[in-house]
Amino acid sequence: MKKKVLLLAAILAMAVIIAVTLCACDPIAQQTEIEGLQEQYANIANAKTIAQKIEITDGEITQFESEKTYTKTDDGYTVTGTEKKFNGVDKLFDETPINETVQKAVDAKPTLKLDEMYFEGGYRLTATGLTATVKQGNIKDVFGISGELKAPTDNLVLEMSASGGHLTSVRISYDSYDSHVVITLTMTY
């Protein structure tokens, strides 16, 4: 009888060890930092507001500047802000106010694809963010672009910050011809 009890206890102990081992290998529980950022990026649509700033400069000259705030509504987003384009003739900038409503894009899917093999060496990846230079040959892969790029894109740096389980900012900067482009998104939830 003692042998049967010891054998049963040993079998139960092995079952517990196997169950613990299998739970530890659960891919959902073992999400990598890059997978966590990808998931948080996919959930940007949950943000209450998204502030977008685009700035294109050539040295000290600002060629283009756009500041928009997307505020979530029941039907889509209210978009407010301004766009400034360098004029240089009679006044420095042509400024256009923005005040519009856009519908939810039902079929819009996030296109950013994060994969460590797309980044130059020396990138920084943590649970709270990413700073990486995208390899020149992988820019279209990272941004889900199927056609040709409209302008040359060099030295593209992608920065992402996360806090409280949400992606809070995305910053993309790159050079194109003699211009430097910076695109920043800041999300509040």
Side-chain angles (χ1 to χ4, degrees):
M1 183 72 172
K2 282 186 175 183
K3 287 183 181 180
K4 287 183 182 179
V5 171
L6 287 174
L7 181 61
L8 184 58
I11 291 172
L12 286 173
M14 288 300 290
V16 168
I17 291 170
I18 290 171
V20 168
T21 303
L22 289 175
C23 288
C25 294
D26 182 2
I28 294 172
Q30 298 296 320
Q31 187 178 50
T32 66
E33 291 165 338
I34 199 90
E35 291 169 336
L37 280 175
Q38 184 74 53
E39 184 178 305
Q40 291 174 12
Y41 171 74
N43 290 323
I44 286 178
N46 295 329
K48 292 178 184 172
T49 62
I50 302 172
Q52 175 193 54
K53 182 174 182 177
I54 301 172
E55 186 176 56
I56 303 173
T57 58
D58 182 354
E60 296 295 318
I61 299 173
T62 300
Q63 299 169 315
F64 177 81
E65 185 177 84
S66 172
E67 292 187 30
K68 296 179 184 177
T69 300
Y70 293 78
T71 304
K72 195 173 200 173
T73 65
D74 291 337
D75 299 327
Y77 294 90
T78 299
V79 185
T80 57
T82 59
E83 284 188 353
K84 297 178 185 177
K85 295 178 185 175
F86 183 69
N87 180 331
V89 181
D90 52 350
K91 57 183 177 176
L92 285 180
F93 291 97
D94 290 329
E95 188 170 329
T96 306
I98 298 168
N99 192 358
E100 60 188 11
T101 302
V102 293
Q103 300 283 324
K104 289 182 183 176
V106 176
D107 295 328
K109 304 261 188 290
T111 57
L112 191 65
K113 183 175 181 190
L114 302 176
D115 192 320
E116 294 173 65
M117 71 180 195
Y118 295 153
F119 307 141
E120 298 284 347
Y123 63 89
R124 182 190 62 81
L125 173 64
T126 67
T128 59
L130 167 72
T131 300
T133 300
V134 178
K135 291 179 183 174
Q136 189 64 36
N138 294 113
I139 292 172
K140 290 177 18 173
D141 298 317
V142 170
F143 293 99
I145 299 169
S146 58
E148 291 301 313
L149 295 173
K150 304 251 184 224
T153 304
D154 298 313
N155 305 315
L156 191 141
V157 176
L158 173 63
E159 298 172 78
M160 302 174 78
S161 296
S163 177
H166 295 289
L167 189 63
T168 55
S169 68
V170 177
R171 184 177 188 270
I172 301 163
S173 61
Y174 62 91
D175 297 320
S176 185
Y177 297 114
D178 292 332
S179 297
H180 184 69
V181 180
V182 178
I183 302 167
T184 305
L185 300 176
T186 306
M187 287 70 67
T188 55
Y189 295 88

